[in-house]
Amino acid sequence: MTLTLFLEQIVNGIILGSMYAIMGAGLALIYGTMRILNFAHGEFYMLGGFFVFFLFAQQGLNPVPAVIIAVAGVALVAAIVQRLTVHVLLKREGWAFSTIAATLGVSIFLQNLALALWGERFQSVPYFVDGLLQVGEFRLPWQRVLIFVVAVAVMGVMAYVLRYTRFGWAVRATAQDPEAAAVVGVPAARIHTMTFALGAALAAVAAALLAPVFAVNPWMGLPLIIKAFVVVVLGGLGSFPGAIAGGFLLGIVEAVGITLTSSEWRDVIAFGMMILFLWVRPWGLFGVKER
Amino acid sequence: MFDPLAPQGRLAVAALVLALLVLPLVWHDTYVLHLVILSMIFGAFAVAWNLATGFAGLKTFGHHAFFGIGAYFSALVSKDFEITPWITAPVAGLVAACAGLVVALPVLRIRSVPHVAMVTLGFAEIVRVLLTVFRETTRGEMGLWGIPAFDGFTLPVIGEVVFNAAEKVPYYYVAALLFLGTVYATVRMVKSPVGLALVAIRDSQDAAESLGINLTRYKLLVFSASAFAVGLLGAFYAHYILLLTPSSVLGLDLMILVIGMTLIGGVGTLFGPILGAFVLTIGVEAMRGVGEYRMLIYGALIVIVVMFMPRGLVALLDGLGPRFGFGRGVRLATSDDAPRPG
């Protein structure tokens, strides 16, 4: 193993980690505001992949509008799903479990809807940008550079929105106390729906960027949602900065881990790390200890 | 609250058990028997999962790990060391129970439902990936075959009993034994003081603890008991189907199937998971015409039941409830639902 190769692995780990971070951040945002674990998150990712495939690979749209339309489409689907299921269940007793069960059902439904509509073929999406970035012996496809740049930009925008806009204030107020937020005029229910859609949109962004790297198929969401679970556990469930840190941490640890063992061990490393974390620090890196 | 088998209900239960036991004598269709065998396996699986989730309130999403561990352990040991499955299957149950203790340890410290869901699911995924990675032993996704069937034996009145693919009846009775055994043990446990302790834990861990219930002991007990049953069922499955792949016995699909059965039947009731398992296993076969849409309908069904029938199908039996004593009084809520923000 040469140093260059090792460096390439680490860089790839960081890039993949940025995608885990985006997935995890969506999940964390939803958990943070509603305290629900969204099992259908992987299927929003899958829908994002298919939408990009149709718009970009099939219709030949320019990648920028294609990705924007795909992400907006997923956000719309997510908003509808939230209104029909989570929104109703949140008002009932036992919602912590029933929302998991309902989103699990939604996940199976969407997965098999995609299978019925679009078939089980693995669809490939061409790279948005071609070519390689080469520095000395170090090589990196521009597509991966693009993934990283977009991911960082999205994180920056999200952080700005949450911190400095009225919408962001409303989200954080609702997360802290929906009733108190409602008293001062924040429409908590609408904020819930919007946050759910926003979280799903983040998954769709990750899917759009990763679609050219991994193939698009009805089951593509499952590995990613499980990784997103690991990320939010590492970062602390519901913590946006935690999810970002957790995503990069997971990406790097996986990259180092598989250079030491083999790529088959990737998932073992990820889940092992999650269980270890749950054991010693269940509230994660950034989470607050709560029982 | 727990009166699942009221005196009036005993007759109905006895009739159902009798029907189950005489079925293979009157209906020889191999396919029908196969369906009922699968229904019994999944029914018992759902009952065992429901013991942890519905009664003790430990919302796990990783019980398929125990099914897979039981199946692979029994299959590999009986195959490679030529030990009879009659011995390896119960041992596989014990191995699964030990695995259950390992999973229960982190779960002891966490109360938030999402965290428990993720740690249990993560454990199952680790087991699945490990079985895929060690393909020299397990053959990974290529499939483990050549698993020995149960050894035949001779009974005094009936004569020789052999286990092979063509002859379902012996398997049927072993499955019935496991099914009825699991259900009986669960009923006994739920109706005993242990069951009351479990429900107390589900309804409020703090209140239960303040009444002197040892949370650690009961959680470990329920986890290992439930894992033992599921591991044993997995072992039976291995020696019945005779072909294992990590995705068939350890895929999330299997867990979703069992969760769906329990939710649709009625979580937290004694009869619900059984009803759900039979209705879905046989119903899904009846829907063969719709083939590829089965899982689509399945997903929609889970959502609909959660939304509109949170008590499951057994709620429909409530009209008969007082008379037959079927499951009543389900409560999904626990005090451990993370407090609404604020």
Side-chain angles (χ1 to χ4, degrees):
Chain A
M1 164 97 20
T2 65
L3 186 67
T4 323
L5 209 60
F6 185 70
L7 207 64
E8 272 183 21
Q9 287 283 8
I10 299 291
V11 170
N12 277 329
I14 293 174
I15 290 167
L16 196 55
S18 70
M19 290 293 97
Y20 293 161
I22 297 264
M23 280 295 283
L27 207 58
L29 208 57
I30 293 171
Y31 183 84
T33 26
M34 278 162 275
R35 294 284 182 274
I36 70 155
L37 189 61
N38 177 20
F39 258 79
H41 207 61
E43 275 54 49
F44 295 133
Y45 170 86
M46 180 269 295
L47 286 181
F50 267 105
F51 288 174
V52 167
F53 167 74
F54 290 129
L55 293 167
F56 173 61
Q58 280 201 334
Q59 300 297 322
L61 232 63
N62 181 291
V64 177
V67 169
I68 292 174
I69 297 172
V71 170
V74 171
L76 184 68
V77 174
I80 295 170
V81 165
Q82 197 273 352
R83 273 283 144 172
L84 291 180
T85 59
V86 172
H87 175 71
V88 181
L89 291 172
L90 275 178
K91 295 176 194 149
R92 297 196 195 144
E93 255 187 85
W95 52 270
F97 180 70
S98 68
T99 48
I100 292 182
T103 51
L104 192 64
V106 169
S107 151
I108 304 164
F109 180 80
L110 289 178
Q111 209 176 73
N112 288 281
L113 188 67
L115 181 64
L117 290 178
W118 305 318
E120 56 189 350
R121 277 240 327 270
F122 280 48
Q123 313 281 9
S124 62
V125 175
Y127 276 19
F128 297 139
V129 283
D130 293 320
L132 282 172
L133 167 71
Q134 189 146 8
V135 183
E137 274 183 53
F138 179 84
R139 291 137 62 90
L140 194 67
W142 279 109
Q143 173 76 25
R144 293 194 178 235
V145 179
L146 178 76
I147 289 176
F148 185 73
V149 172
V150 174
V152 172
V154 167
M155 289 171 207
V157 170
M158 282 302 303
Y160 176 82
V161 166
L162 285 176
R163 189 122 198 100
Y164 297 110
T165 63
R166 286 184 70 84
F167 171 70
W169 298 341
V171 168
R172 287 188 293 142
T174 316
Q176 279 178 16
D177 189 335
E179 281 165 15
V183 167
V184 294
V186 176
R190 200 188 309 159
I191 292 293
H192 281 165
T193 309
M194 288 167 81
T195 319
F196 197 87
L198 189 62
L202 286 177
V205 170
L209 293 169
L210 284 178
V213 182
F214 303 131
V216 172
N217 65 76
W219 306 279
M220 67 194 278
L222 188 62
L224 261 288
I225 193 184
I226 295 183
K227 290 295 162 63
F229 284 166
V230 179
V231 167
V232 291
V233 167
L234 296 184
L237 250 181
S239 159
F240 186 82
I244 306 285
F248 282 115
L249 181 65
L250 178 64
I252 294 168
V253 170
E254 274 190 5
V256 174
I258 60 173
T259 48
L260 297 177
T261 56
S262 80
S263 61
E264 290 176 326
W265 287 84
R266 182 187 287 273
D267 291 349
V268 181
I269 295 163
F271 304 131
M273 197 154 91
M274 174 173 96
I275 290 189
L276 200 72
F277 248 81
L278 279 171
W279 211 319
V280 296
R281 202 178 158 85
W283 55 95
L285 289 171
F286 287 68
V288 188
K289 189 171 181 178
E290 68 172 301
R291 301 252 287 179
Chain B
M1 176 175 163
F2 284 108
D3 196 17
L5 303 177
Q8 310 92 307
R10 300 232 163 130
L11 203 63
V13 171
L16 286 176
V17 171
L18 194 69
L20 200 65
L21 291 179
V22 296
L23 179 79
L25 304 178
V26 293
W27 202 351
H28 300 290
D29 191 318
T30 326
Y31 182 63
V32 170
L33 292 185
H34 175 67
L35 278 187
V36 180
I37 291 174
L38 286 184
S39 302
M40 288 192 289
I41 294 177
F42 289 127
F45 190 159
V47 165
W49 182 72
N50 185 45
L51 178 66
T53 301
F55 286 109
L58 303 168
K59 311 279 193 307
T60 88
F61 284 78
H63 255 50
H64 52 310
F66 309 130
F67 195 79
I69 288 172
Y72 266 96
F73 180 87
S74 187
L76 286 171
V77 171
S78 63
K79 177 171 172 284
D80 294 346
F81 298 98
E82 292 180 357
I83 299 172
T84 167
W86 292 114
I87 295 173
T88 61
V91 175
L94 291 176
V95 171
C98 293
L101 290 179
V102 173
V103 184
L105 283 177
V107 172
L108 288 177
R109 297 191 38 173
I110 331 168
R111 292 190 181 181
S112 127
V113 174
H115 281 95
V116 173
M118 286 188 291
V119 73
T120 48
L121 183 59
F123 172 76
E125 279 293 300
I126 289 184
V127 176
R128 184 182 67 81
V129 175
L130 285 178
L131 283 172
T132 316
V133 171
F134 290 110
R135 65 173 66 84
E136 293 82 20
T137 325
T138 64
R139 277 194 249 265
E141 284 299 333
M142 304 276 289
L144 181 68
W145 47 271
I147 302 165
F150 288 104
D151 300 309
F153 51 84
T154 312
L155 280 179
V157 184
I158 303 158
E160 205 178 352
V161 178
V162 285
F163 290 87
N164 61 43
E167 192 53 64
K168 298 282 181 205
V169 178
Y171 281 112
Y172 183 96
Y173 281 107
V174 177
L177 187 70
L178 288 174
F179 170 69
L180 295 175
T182 307
V183 174
Y184 180 74
T186 308
V187 170
R188 286 307 296 258
M189 194 185 232
V190 166
K191 291 192 73 177
S192 74
V194 175
L196 290 177
L198 294 181
V199 174
I201 291 173
R202 176 189 71 185
D203 289 345
S204 168
Q205 298 206 10
D206 291 330
E209 200 167 22
S210 75
L211 290 171
I213 291 171
N214 186 334
L215 293 185
T216 306
R217 189 195 298 162
Y218 280 104
K219 284 183 183 177
L220 290 178
L221 172 77
V222 75
F223 237 96
S224 53
S226 168
F228 174 80
V230 175
L232 191 58
L233 292 163
F236 171 80
Y237 182 86
H239 296 292
Y240 173 58
I241 300 289
L242 304 178
L243 176 70
L244 295 178
T245 62
S247 52
S248 71
V249 290
L250 275 154
L252 186 57
D253 294 357
L254 177 64
M255 190 69 244
I256 290 173
L257 194 70
V258 171
I259 292 175
M261 287 168 177
T262 314
L263 289 175
I264 290 167
V267 69
T269 64
L270 283 168
F271 190 65
I274 304 171
L275 184 68
F278 274 80
V279 166
L280 281 176
T281 311
I282 293 166
V284 159
E285 281 306 316
M287 292 194 302
R288 275 201 142 188
V290 294
E292 52 196 292
Y293 299 111
R294 283 191 321 197
M295 288 306 283
L296 189 72
I297 296 169
Y298 199 78
L301 211 56
I302 290 182
V303 178
I304 290 168
V305 165
V306 171
M307 298 294 303
F308 303 109
M309 279 171 56
R311 298 178 52 202
L313 286 177
V314 281
L316 299 179
L317 295 176
D318 257 13
L320 311 167
R323 208 166 316 137
F324 293 107
F326 285 134
R328 280 179 290 160
V330 60
R331 222 188 123 216
L332 272 168
T334 79
S335 64
D336 299 315
D337 289 344
R340 296 288 302 138

